[in-house]
Amino acid sequence: DTGVSQDPRHKITKRGQNVTFRCDPISEHNRLYWYRQTLGQGPEFLTYFQNEAQLEKSRLLSDRFSAERPKGSFSTLEIQRTEQGDSAMYLCASSLLHNEQFFGPGTRLTVL
Amino acid sequence: QKEVEQDPGPLSVPEGAIVSLNCTYSNSAFQYFMWYRQYSRKGPELLMYTYSSGNKEDGRFTAQVDKSSKYISLFIRDSQPSDSATYLCAMTREKTGTASKLTFGTGTRLQVTL
């Protein structure tokens, strides 16, 4: 499979718990993006990596959110002390050239 | 006001119709324009990618960009029930660097009926 993969596909958690999502980009894609999408809205940018360097973080990304991309391969997005407002679809995208970003299937988070 | 405006629909058309989907934007720095298709509970799928003004055709899909009017369109010819999905427009200022993040519209939900 040569597409972007995300794990898990669904996550249900209780308020206050920590969750971690993983994204595996398309092989050799050096750029990786995280977006968040809520019902009825388009995806909103969260953060961006070029290789292992995190180059930009959105104001949407509070201190409870952290993302990493060790060795410039897969990436993880962690949310600490989850809140009900964190419930959303978390999307990962990767790109190489020409800014064509290819998205994964997303991780749907439900915070109870 | 949002940077990218898109009518959320729903838009319902009969099978075989020509569909027109549109977005307007306010930031004149946007140069790269994309259309994504998203089925329910799935990730967005890239359909069309265009740079600056002009037309681009790919099969039943045609993308148009009018930078002077800050207006982009996606046309779908001979629409099929399998085209029923949400269509998202997206745009960005740069190919690389921190300005390469995508700014999306809200998406237009399309329903193609038999």
Side-chain angles (χ1 to χ4, degrees), chain B residues 32-104:
Chain B
Y32 300 89
F33 305 92
M34 285 137 273
W35 285 95
Y36 286 84
R37 177 174 63 195
Q38 187 174 30
Y39 292 110
S40 181
R41 297 183 176 269
K42 303 290 186 184
E45 171 194 1
L46 182 63
L47 285 177
M48 300 288 283
Y49 175 86
T50 55
Y51 168 66
S52 198
S53 287
N55 291 2
K56 182 176 181 179
E57 187 174 319
D58 185 0
R60 296 185 296 114
F61 299 93
T62 299
Q64 283 187 353
V65 174
D66 182 350
K67 289 192 70 181
S68 63
S69 302
K70 298 190 182 68
Y71 187 86
I72 68 171
S73 301
L74 177 71
F75 298 95
I76 307 174
R77 290 181 297 280
D78 187 25
S79 55
Q80 303 295 311
S82 59
D83 294 328
S84 298
T86 296
Y87 290 80
L88 296 154
C89 64
M91 47 200 78
T92 182
R93 289 185 285 140
E94 293 180 9
K95 276 201 279 188
T96 62
T98 58
S100 61
K101 63 187 178 188
L102 297 178
T103 300
F104 282 87

Side-chain angles (χ1 to χ4, degrees), chain A residues 28-33 93-97 99-102:
Chain A
E28 298 180 354
H29 278 194
N30 61 341
R31 284 180 245 148
L32 188 148
Y33 304 78
S94 69
S95 72
L96 181 58
L97 295 173
N99 204 36
E100 293 177 320
Q101 294 184 28
F102 297 92

Side-chain angles (χ1 to χ4, degrees), chain B residues 1-14:
Chain B
Q1 185 185 4
K2 293 185 176 182
E3 280 190 289
V4 180
E5 298 282 353
Q6 186 174 10
D7 187 335
L11 176 63
S12 184
V13 301

Side-chain angles (χ1 to χ4, degrees), chain A residues 14 38 43 49 88 95 100:
Chain A
K14 293 182 178 179
T38 54
F49 290 85
S95 72
E100 293 177 320

